[in-house]
Amino acid sequence: MRSRPWTDYALFVVLVAPNLVLLGLFVFRPLGDTILMSFTDRNLSDPASDFVGLANYREWWGRGDSWQIVTNTAVFTLAAVVGSLALGLALALLLHRKLFGRTAIRSVIFAPVVISGAAVGVAFQFLFDPGFGLVQDVLRRLGVTNVPDFYQNSHWALFMVSVAYIWKNLGFTFVLYLAALQGIRRELIEAAATDGASHRVTVTRVLLPQLRPTTVFLSITVTLNSLQAFDLINVMTRGGPVGTGTTTLAYQVYLESFRNSRAGYGAAVATVLFVVLLIVTLVQIRAMDRGER
């Protein structure tokens, strides 16, 4: 077998080296610094720090609010993934048909993706306002007497933030599903219709398997993005309304590092979040590989 000429290897190095340098400077080096900082008692108000070993991790493991924050993160992420994918697929199936004004509707659905998360958070604050919010007004008109207070009840506050996050990112899943529908094999659907398959069977047995690669890709990206959500939570609830009612791991990193000035402890929480992200990504990639095989 003839070996490749050295020019191919040189071209490979020229094309890959800039990316590796940028990744090293802006991804791997900060990641290494964060992990090293997690073993210290670094305080933003004091440049000096001492090595404390696993003390930050032991404190995080033993704190009562840590598991509440982990639960918040899991619930928020699960709601974001399931809600975004289910609604995105439903809208894509609807607007894949020839409907009047579908181009304008597609643009409207995608618009929130490019809007600032802070702006979306402020808008949803008005929607859920207990005094004059649109949601409260609609519930009262429908005859709901026990209207939930989204700013005092932690569970409803987490629901409010999840709805806002799903609305903002729905256009992303919608557009990718819509693009995937353009490439499905129409002959399989026509064959199913010829064999007398119902609409439900056609969708579950013929259409969804063809969308599996897109679904796996979206589940990975939406999961990673929701685990790192910050702006909406900061604008709408600041991790409250009571205690850590809507605090996630990503928001806890901000609270500990910048509001409590405990950069070492915040770095430990960030490292825990990194490990969670790594495990979730590996599991989803493994599932994607199995599905392809």
Side-chain angles (χ1 to χ4, degrees):
M1 181 181 294
R2 188 175 63 177
S3 60
R4 289 180 177 272
W6 67 270
T7 53
D8 289 353
Y9 294 102
L11 179 62
F12 171 78
V13 172
V14 169
L15 294 177
V16 172
N19 294 319
L20 292 179
V21 171
L22 292 175
L23 284 173
L25 288 175
F26 298 106
V27 177
F28 296 116
R29 184 174 179 272
L31 174 61
D33 291 342
T34 300
I35 295 174
L36 291 176
M37 191 187 302
S38 69
F39 297 106
T40 68
D41 61 351
R42 179 70 183 274
N43 190 312
L44 293 182
S45 61
D46 185 359
S49 61
D50 296 322
F51 180 80
V52 296
L54 297 175
N56 290 324
Y57 294 96
R58 286 195 295 267
E59 179 184 349
W60 180 83
W61 184 269
R63 277 177 54 165
D65 61 349
S66 295
W67 301 109
Q68 176 63 46
I69 292 172
V70 170
T71 302
N72 293 343
T73 305
V75 171
F76 176 78
T77 302
L78 182 63
V81 173
V82 175
S84 298
L85 266 64
L87 292 175
L89 177 59
L91 288 172
L93 289 172
L94 177 63
L95 294 176
H96 182 57
R97 304 174 181 178
K98 293 182 178 180
L99 300 174
F100 176 76
R102 66 175 182 174
T103 302
I105 298 175
R106 290 174 180 177
S107 302
V108 170
I109 294 174
F110 184 75
V113 176
V114 298
I115 299 176
S116 160
V120 172
V122 172
F124 271 83
Q125 277 186 312
F126 285 104
L127 285 175
F128 286 96
D129 188 275
F132 54 84
L134 176 62
V135 174
Q136 304 283 17
D137 182 64
V138 170
L139 291 176
R140 291 191 183 98
R141 291 176 183 272
L142 292 175
V144 179
T145 56
N146 189 17
V147 179
D149 191 338
F150 296 97
Y151 285 94
Q152 296 299 324
N153 186 294
S154 296
H155 299 297
W156 282 112
L158 187 60
F159 170 81
M160 174 181 65
V161 174
S162 300
V163 169
Y165 186 85
I166 291 171
W167 184 83
K168 183 187 184 311
N169 295 276
L170 178 61
F172 176 69
T173 58
F174 162 72
V175 165
L176 288 189
Y177 269 131
L178 192 62
L181 287 173
Q182 312 298 324
I184 62 173
R185 298 175 59 183
R186 302 295 305 177
E187 64 271 16
L188 295 180
I189 297 178
E190 293 171 359
T194 303
D195 292 339
S198 64
H199 179 70
R200 181 183 63 83
V201 172
T202 302
V203 171
T204 57
R205 299 294 182 89
V206 181
L207 183 61
L208 290 183
Q210 296 186 70
L211 297 176
R212 179 184 175 87
T214 303
T215 300
V216 174
F217 170 76
L218 285 173
S219 67
I220 294 175
T221 53
V222 175
T223 299
L224 297 182
N225 290 336
S226 59
L227 282 171
Q228 302 173 76
F230 169 80
D231 47 5
L232 278 173
I233 297 174
N234 187 51
V235 170
M236 298 183 72
T237 62
R238 296 189 182 276
V242 179
T244 56
T246 58
T247 301
T248 60
L249 285 172
Y251 195 72
Q252 188 185 20
V253 174
Y254 162 75
L255 291 177
E256 297 293 346
S257 299
F258 298 102
R259 292 183 61 179
N260 298 336
S261 299
R262 300 186 62 196
Y265 185 78
V269 179
T271 303
V272 171
L273 177 59
F274 166 73
V275 173
V276 171
L277 290 169
L278 182 62
I279 293 174
V280 169
T281 304
L282 292 176
V283 169
Q284 290 177 316
I285 291 177
R286 180 73 173 175
M288 181 173 62
D289 291 341
R290 277 185 185 174
E292 290 179 352
R293 287 198 296 269

